[in-house]
């Protein structure tokens, strides 16, 4: 019997969660019904659009646009700064509801989850019935709306959830691919970014269907192994399981965040890196891993992306050491162009059964491990904000600065 997978995606997550919270606390106006955005600071007009309402979209406002540009398009625009602590609570509430329908729920990002509904129909009805029940419960009990995609694998379920929005349920079973997916523009395929779609269009490939029918050898010649993956995705092929834990069959741990303003100064970039590295270190220690490689990526305000990585002399889970390497990589990579997104990723993981010392560094791994473990324990017992680094005080930044995952920290969403 084929697997049944749901992909649950919150509609305009940051804005919906803010609107639901305001209404719960007596607000008379729903942000979702007026031209509104989440992002930056309304008084300084500094920052970018992180989320937008449907009425704001009608003015041509797009996610990632500078607030000044958005205000020029719609002078009466309502701007609300992001509240990541609220988003963490809303995300966790949704995950808790989803786990009532399956023991296998994988959080893919702060506002997306996969749910394995295989063999659950005898409890909650057909997949369509269960999806509508979940969608309606989320709206009634939590105050926001979701799209739910249904298929036999994670890829097709995610593609289905991107169909007409908001507050919809869609299917995309393998037999529906030619009708529902193949006519779509090629850049709507999962993992097909601007650069890849541009290369495909140079090859005369405009739709997902054309990509699916292109010989694999041609795609491999132009796009290497990534072309083979794109061919598989265009044909609806994906064998990745819904994982109950992010630490099952894990190859790397990464966090990235779109900052609510353009990062212009080195000190600001360092603080964002520190925030991300704190979550990377904590998640490494939670999974009893050490990392042998650190990588960073940045996206400029013009959406140009670049990255750099370094293999470590000694595998580590120490937050400070990972941060030091990340800063060095940033210094090598960044030319001063304003940054909108920063990411940190560690890989080459090994089980943390002992800690190998190195003659090539005087970093005190043992002392820092004791410190990190103590901080982890305090945060688990008293909350993530119970202890923070002094460098975050009066900085305008929070130690949690982006899309927040199940552990309360930003989550990288690059792998199904």
């Amino acid at each position: 019997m084929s697997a049944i997978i749901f992909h649950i995606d919150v509609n305009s997550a940051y804005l919906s969660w803010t609107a639901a919270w305001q209404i719960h606390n007596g607000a008379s106006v729903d942000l979702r019904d007026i031209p509104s955005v989440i992002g930056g600071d309304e008084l300084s007009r500094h920052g970018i659009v992180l989320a937008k309402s449907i009425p704001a979209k009608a003015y041509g406002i797009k996610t990632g646009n500078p607030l000044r540009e958005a205000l020029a398009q719609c002078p009466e625009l309502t701007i609300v700064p992001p509240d990541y602590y609220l988003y963490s609570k809303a995300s966790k509430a949704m995950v808790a509801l989803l786990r009532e329908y399956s023991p296998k729920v994988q959080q893919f990002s702060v506002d997306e989850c996969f749910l394995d509904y295989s063999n659950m129909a005898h409890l909650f009805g057909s997949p369509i019935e269960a999806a509508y029940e979940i969608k309606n419960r989320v709206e009634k009990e939590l105050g926001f709306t979701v799209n739910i995609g249904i298929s036999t694998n994670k890829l097709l379920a995610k593609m289905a959830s991107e169909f007409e929005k908001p507050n919809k349920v869609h299917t995309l079973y393998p037999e529906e691919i030619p009708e529902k997916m193949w006519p779509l523009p090629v850049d709507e395929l999962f993992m097909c970014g601007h650069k890849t779609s541009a290369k495909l269009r140079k090859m005369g490939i405009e739709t997902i269907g054309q990509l699916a029918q292109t010989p694999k050898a041609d795609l491999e010649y132009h796009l290497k192994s990534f072309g083979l993956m794109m061919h598989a995705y265009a044909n609806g092929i994906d064998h990745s399981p819904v994982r109950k834990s992010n630490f099952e069959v894990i190859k790397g741990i990464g966090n990235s965040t779109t900052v609510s303003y353009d990062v212009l100064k080195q000190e600001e970039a360092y603080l964002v890196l520190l925030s991300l590295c704190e979550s990377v270190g904590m998640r490494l220690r939670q999974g009893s891993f050490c990392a042998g490689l650190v990588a960073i990526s940045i996206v400029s305000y013009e959406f140009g992306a670049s990255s750099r990585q370094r293999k470590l002399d000694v595998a580590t889970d120490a937050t400070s050491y990972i941060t030091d390497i990340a800063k060095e990589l940033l210094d090598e990579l960044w030319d001063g162009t304003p940054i909108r997104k920063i990411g940190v990723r560690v890989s080459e993981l090994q089980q943390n059964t002992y800690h190998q010392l190195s003659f090539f560094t005087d970093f005190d791994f043992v002392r820092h491990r004791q410190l990190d473990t103590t901080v982890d324990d305090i945060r688990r017992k008293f909350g993530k904000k119970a202890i923070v680094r002094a460098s975050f005080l009066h900085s305008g930044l929070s130690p949690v600065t982006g899309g927040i995952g199940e552990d309360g920290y930003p989550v990288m969403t690059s792998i199904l």
Side-chain angles (χ1 to χ4, degrees):
M1 183 177 180
S2 298
I4 297 295
I5 308 299
F6 291 0
H7 179 255
I8 301 93
D9 186 10
V10 181
N11 301 133
S12 300
Y14 287 1
L15 189 128
S16 293
W17 288 334
T18 302
W21 176 251
Q22 289 184 351
I23 290 172
H24 177 74
N25 286 276
S28 58
V29 177
D30 190 330
L31 290 174
R32 291 164 290 192
D33 296 334
I34 63 173
S36 64
V37 299
I38 302 296
D41 182 87
E42 184 176 13
L43 295 178
S44 67
R45 298 188 174 190
H46 187 59
I48 64 172
V49 174
L50 299 176
K52 62 187 180 301
S53 66
I54 292 177
K57 184 178 180 180
Y59 283 86
I61 295 171
K62 299 178 181 179
T63 301
N65 282 3
L67 284 181
R68 291 181 182 276
E69 182 179 316
L71 283 164
Q73 293 171 287
C74 179
E76 66 269 26
L77 186 69
T78 297
I79 302 171
V80 181
D83 182 346
Y84 296 111
Y85 180 67
L86 169 64
Y87 306 154
S88 176
K89 291 176 62 177
S91 180
K92 289 178 180 178
M94 181 178 72
V95 171
L97 187 152
L98 295 178
R99 285 184 174 144
E100 295 180 26
Y101 292 86
S102 173
K104 292 184 179 180
V105 175
Q106 178 187 350
Q107 187 159 16
F108 184 54
S109 70
V110 66
D111 59 346
E112 297 177 78
C113 290
F114 290 104
L115 183 151
D116 191 337
Y117 193 71
S118 307
N119 303 314
M120 302 300 290
H122 66 289
L123 295 176
F124 305 107
S126 71
I128 288 286
E129 291 171 334
Y132 272 101
E133 181 177 318
I134 291 171
K135 178 184 75 69
N136 293 337
R137 281 191 62 193
V138 168
E139 183 176 17
K140 181 178 179 181
E141 298 175 24
L142 303 181
F144 54 89
T145 64
V146 297
N147 262 41
I148 299 181
I150 307 171
S151 191
T152 56
N153 64 41
K154 292 163 68 175
L155 169 73
L156 293 177
K158 181 170 175 59
M159 291 294 297
S161 70
E162 295 295 328
F163 293 160
E164 183 187 1
K165 295 182 178 183
N167 204 20
K168 303 288 185 180
V169 172
H170 300 284
T171 64
L172 182 56
Y173 291 114
E175 62 271 18
E176 298 177 303
I177 290 175
E179 176 187 355
K180 293 185 176 182
M181 189 171 82
W182 280 355
L184 298 175
V186 71
D187 56 6
E188 292 193 23
L189 181 64
F190 178 70
M191 292 293 288
C192 186
H194 296 297
K195 292 183 179 179
T196 302
S197 61
K199 291 179 181 179
L200 291 173
R201 288 196 167 94
K202 285 184 179 179
M203 297 170 60
I205 300 171
E206 298 286 342
T207 68
I208 297 176
Q210 290 174 328
L211 174 59
Q213 295 159 19
T214 300
K216 289 192 286 186
D218 292 351
L219 293 169
E220 186 175 19
Y221 176 79
H222 289 280
L223 300 174
K224 309 301 181 186
S225 60
F226 191 72
L228 299 179
M229 186 180 75
M230 288 289 93
H231 186 271
Y233 281 5
N235 283 281
I237 300 171
D238 169 42
H239 303 294
S240 60
V242 175
R243 301 191 302 269
K244 290 188 292 184
S245 167
N246 286 332
F247 295 114
E248 296 178 18
V249 197
I250 189 168
K251 295 183 179 180
I253 295 172
N255 299 327
S256 64
T257 183
T258 300
V259 187
S260 57
Y261 56 90
D262 291 338
V263 176
L264 302 172
K265 299 179 180 178
Q266 184 187 57
E267 294 78 9
E268 293 176 335
Y270 280 176
L271 281 177
V272 177
L273 279 177
L274 175 58
S275 168
L276 298 173
C277 290
E278 280 208 315
S279 77
V280 165
M282 185 173 184
R283 291 164 65 195
L284 278 171
R285 295 184 291 273
Q286 285 177 334
S288 298
F289 290 113
C290 283
L293 185 143
V294 175
I296 73 162
S297 61
I298 59 176
V299 177
S300 73
Y301 77 109
E302 297 174 330
F303 301 103
S306 54
S307 62
R308 186 153 297 185
Q309 65 182 34
R310 180 181 301 173
K311 189 175 178 65
L312 305 182
D313 294 325
V314 54
T316 185
D317 60 6
T319 294
S320 294
Y321 191 70
I322 294 169
T323 303
D324 289 345
I325 299 299
K327 288 179 179 179
E328 292 176 8
L329 292 172
L330 179 71
D331 291 342
E332 297 172 6
L333 185 64
W334 188 26
D335 63 2
T337 302
I339 298 175
R340 286 197 178 170
K341 185 174 183 179
I342 301 179
V344 175
R345 184 168 178 80
V346 296
S347 57
E348 296 190 9
L349 304 185
Q350 55 186 259
Q351 284 297 315
N352 182 11
T353 54
Y354 62 92
H355 203 95
Q356 179 181 352
L357 301 181
S358 171
F359 291 109
F360 302 103
T361 177
D362 58 1
F363 187 87
D364 191 340
F365 290 101
V366 174
R367 183 175 70 84
H368 278 274
R369 167 172 287 178
Q370 293 171 341
L371 175 62
D372 287 336
T373 301
T374 300
V375 171
D376 291 347
D377 290 341
I378 292 172
R379 285 173 171 168
R380 274 193 293 266
K381 186 173 183 179
F382 299 106
K384 300 297 188 296
K385 295 185 178 181
I387 181 169
V388 298
R389 294 176 185 260
S391 55
F392 287 116
L393 297 177
H394 312 299
S395 68
L397 291 171
S398 163
V400 180
T401 59
I404 303 167
E406 199 169 12
D407 59 1
Y409 286 96
V411 173
M412 185 83 158
T413 58
S414 60
I415 302 174
L416 277 176

